[in-house]
């Protein structure tokens, strides 16, 4: 095993309804590596293929082709070892309300066939800050605590890799931070983390590297720092006296939000385009610019742009 890569994906494809008129390419020749000790974010709009990817790793969806290696184990040859190397924290909160966190972890350990003397229930409860609630009914836990309990469940078999599927969807801001801290703590203890999210701010705060999926294609893969630098956008509104005709692809990175006889709203990447060229272009059509307002593009814009076909 290459020590650096704990997950290595080569030419991974998933086609649902293969060879039918309904066939869907959920993953297209995905190539991806996750390095030991990193927090890797997998981003993408709904339908991008994130769940398909996670389900393939979890062994609940069968890939169509390609190679998946987890912790040195080939998914085709050693599916059980692959499964044992990953802990998955699901999106849905599905904890039995009448069990205590302690009991739930013990049951989960039993499912994995972990002997009583090898269980680390209390350590895990401490790690997710639920030691005080270890003997309370799960139904009495807050939403955030239930999420942490799901993280705890995924840790029972001590996997070196944890996958969190939309960990903070529907969790309020304060609890979100709390959960992030817990995940970071886990990471500091050496666990490699993969998370899917569509909260860009979450990815920005948490992840060392980010991959962006769209329609089954990896449209970006870079360190969070580089990605943020690369995608710095500016949004500009021109108030005009007639509609501007803009040839497609004339300006690098230009994205048009609105183009009417009164207004042209665009965004562009600061590193790729110079606004003065666009102004000259508008002027050359004898269109008057009455006013201009600018606004630094936010991450949301960037995401929309990167995932635009
Ligand atoms: P995401 O998790 O990013 O929202 P998914 O992996 O769920 O994306 O979906 C990717 C594509 O595959 C979508 O077009 C979706 O409709 C399709 N898809 C997902 N699961 C199934 C399934 N079990 N059967 C058929 N099509 C599916």
């Amino acid at each position: 095993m290459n020590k650096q890569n704990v997950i290595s994906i080569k030419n991974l494809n998933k086609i649902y309804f293969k060879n039918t008129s309904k066939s869907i390419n959920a993953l297209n020749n995905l190539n991806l590596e996750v390095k030991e000790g990193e927090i890797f974010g997998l981003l993408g709009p709904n339908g991008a293929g994130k769940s398909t990817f996670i389900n393939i790793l979890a062994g609940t969806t069968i890939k169509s082709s390609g190679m998946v290696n987890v912790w040195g184990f080939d998914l085709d040859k050693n599916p059980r070892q692959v499964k044992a190397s990953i802990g998955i924290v699901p999106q849905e909160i599905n904890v039995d309300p009448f069990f205590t966190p302690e009991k739930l972890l013990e049951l989960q350990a039993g499912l994995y066939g972990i002997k009583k003397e090898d269980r680390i229930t209390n350590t895990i409860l401490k790690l997710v800050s639920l030691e005080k609630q270890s003997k309370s009914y799960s139904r009495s836990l807050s939403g955030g605590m239930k999420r942490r309990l799901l993280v705890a469940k995924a840790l029972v078999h001590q996997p070196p890799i944890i996958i969190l599927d939309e960990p903070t969807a529907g969790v309020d801001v304060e609890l979100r931070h709390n959960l992030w801290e817990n995940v970071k703590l886990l990471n500091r203890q050496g666990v490699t983390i993969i998370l899917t999210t569509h909260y860009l701010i979450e990815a920005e705060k948490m992840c060392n590297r980010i991959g962006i999926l769209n329609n089954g294609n990896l449209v970006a893969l870079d360190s969070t720092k580089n990605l943020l630098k690369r995608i710095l956008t500016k949004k500009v509104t021109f108030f005009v006296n007639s509609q501007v005709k803009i040839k497609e692809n004339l300006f690098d990175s230009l994205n048009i939000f609105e183009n009417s006889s009164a207004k042209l709203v665009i965004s562009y990447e600061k590193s790729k385009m110079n606004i003065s060229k666009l102004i000259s272009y508008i002027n050359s059509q004898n269109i008057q610019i009455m006013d201009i307002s600018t606004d630094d593009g936010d991450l949301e814009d960037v995401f929309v742009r990167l995932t635009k076909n």
Side-chain angles (χ1 to χ4, degrees), residues 5-273:
N5 297 328
V6 293
I7 292 188
S8 169
I9 307 291
K10 293 211 170 77
N11 302 320
L12 180 63
N13 287 286
K14 175 64 193 180
I15 307 170
Y16 291 106
F17 310 117
K18 205 176 176 178
N19 299 327
T20 73
S21 57
K22 289 192 292 178
S23 99
I24 297 171
N25 284 51
L27 292 175
N28 276 321
N29 262 326
L30 189 66
N31 285 289
L32 184 67
E33 266 142 15
V34 178
K35 296 181 171 62
E36 184 165 11
E38 76 175 339
I39 303 185
F40 180 83
L42 190 62
L43 273 64
N46 276 338
K50 303 180 298 293
S51 306
T52 298
F53 177 67
I54 291 179
N55 293 340
I56 290 173
L57 290 179
T60 53
T61 292
I62 309 220
K63 63 185 166 64
S64 302
S65 63
M67 195 218 73
V68 173
N69 190 293
V70 177
W71 204 247
F73 299 110
D74 185 298
L75 181 64
D76 294 324
K77 292 181 197 136
N78 304 100
R80 290 183 61 183
Q81 283 88 337
V82 166
K83 202 169 175 175
S85 308
I86 305 177
I88 296 200
V89 184
Q91 220 176 95
E92 308 274 309
I93 294 184
N94 54 351
V95 292
D96 192 310
F98 296 105
F99 286 132
T100 67
E102 189 182 51
K103 180 78 187 161
L104 270 171
L105 296 194
E106 286 292 318
L107 286 171
Q108 182 79 357
L111 280 179
Y112 272 93
I114 301 164
K115 288 196 210 104
K116 275 247 180 318
E117 63 267 30
D118 294 332
R119 295 183 188 171
I120 52 159
T121 305
N122 287 329
T123 310
I124 296 175
L125 285 171
K126 255 194 212 122
L127 191 65
V128 298
S129 323
L130 283 177
E131 70 268 40
K132 285 200 194 105
Q133 289 78 19
S134 70
K135 294 189 194 307
S136 321
Y137 281 136
S138 295
R139 64 166 178 217
S140 66
L141 303 182
S142 71
M145 288 174 180
K146 282 183 189 147
R147 287 266 166 195
R148 297 210 299 272
L149 184 53
L150 290 182
V151 175
K153 261 179 91 181
L155 292 171
V156 156
H157 59 294
Q158 302 189 51
I161 303 162
I162 291 284
I163 300 181
L164 297 122
D165 192 7
E166 294 281 350
T168 51
V171 174
D172 71 39
V173 178
E174 200 179 319
L175 290 175
R176 216 177 278 169
H177 285 286
N178 189 298
L179 200 66
W180 290 348
E181 286 314 311
N182 273 287
V183 171
K184 282 186 178 162
L185 179 67
L186 212 56
N187 180 248
R188 282 199 293 274
Q189 312 215 338
V191 180
T192 302
I193 312 275
I194 299 175
L195 61 91
T196 72
T197 181
H198 52 246
Y199 290 112
L200 290 155
I201 188 79
E202 180 163 67
E204 192 184 333
K205 287 241 154 61
M206 295 280 300
C207 303
N208 312 110
R209 276 198 317 139
I210 290 178
I212 300 181
L213 265 182
N214 187 43
N215 282 331
N217 297 304
L218 199 61
V219 292
L221 177 66
D222 212 334
S223 68
T224 309
K225 213 169 128 202
N226 280 343
L227 209 56
L228 283 173
K229 222 191 287 167
R230 216 172 86 195
I231 58 189
L232 268 181
T233 59
K234 193 142 187 111
K235 199 167 181 180
V236 182
T237 303
F238 295 97
F239 296 92
V240 288
N241 63 351
S242 90
Q243 189 173 27
V244 181
K245 291 177 220 60
I246 303 187
K247 272 199 217 125
E248 225 177 288
N249 300 329
L250 186 63
F251 297 98
D252 204 7
S253 83
L254 184 72
N255 189 20
I256 301 170
F257 290 94
E258 186 184 332
N259 191 3
S260 69
S261 57
K263 228 191 211 181
L264 171 66
V265 186
I266 55 123
S267 76
Y268 64 95
E269 280 171 50
K270 290 182 205 166
S271 62
K272 288 196 176 155
M273 198 189 103

